[in-house]
Amino acid sequence: MYELTVLLDENGKEPLYEQIYRHIKAQIREGKIESGERLPSTRLLAEHLGVSRSTTQLAYDQLIAEGYLTSIPCKGYFVAGVEGLCEISSEKREGYEGK
């Protein structure tokens, strides 16, 4: 099981669940957490990070919705194969007029 250490900014503008989500997503995209790797339960991660379980659940739910994680009942959360996933940027592209 992969152990996650996320540096959280409790006073930042970004919600804690989003900080966790972005950290895990980056780790997966960079190959630091590999496909098939089991992640800690939401309860264990919450305890480790000192946040509520609902905070970690929100982060995992977003990762599942985007295809980065899969959930197997009674077994846990696992990194999905992300080779086919694409990154969509919300930044405006130069020369794009939105037509």
Side-chain angles (χ1 to χ4, degrees):
M1 178 173 17
Y2 189 83
E3 184 175 316
L4 292 169
T5 300
V6 183
L7 299 175
L8 299 173
D9 180 5
E10 294 187 23
N11 298 319
K13 292 180 182 178
E14 189 174 49
L16 295 176
Y17 83 89
E18 199 165 320
Q19 293 177 48
I20 296 167
Y21 150 78
R22 288 188 189 282
H23 177 81
I24 296 172
K25 179 179 173 180
Q27 294 282 298
I28 293 170
R29 292 198 66 79
E30 293 168 10
K32 295 178 181 175
I33 307 175
E34 297 181 5
S35 178
E37 188 81 40
R38 183 173 181 224
L39 295 183
S41 69
T42 56
R43 183 170 282 126
L44 284 175
L45 183 58
E47 185 178 306
H48 176 69
L49 298 177
V51 298
S52 73
R53 183 170 175 232
S54 63
T55 299
T56 55
Q57 186 66 59
L58 283 169
Y60 277 20
D61 287 346
Q62 185 64 37
L63 290 162
I64 290 169
E66 292 183 15
Y68 288 95
L69 296 183
T70 58
S71 174
I72 301 174
C74 301
K75 293 202 178 208
Y77 295 93
F78 297 86
V79 176
V82 295
E83 298 80 28
L85 294 176
C86 64
E87 183 75 20
I88 299 174
S89 176
S90 62
E91 296 176 18
K92 284 190 173 182
R93 294 185 185 154
E94 191 173 320
Y96 178 73
E97 297 177 20
K99 294 181 182 176

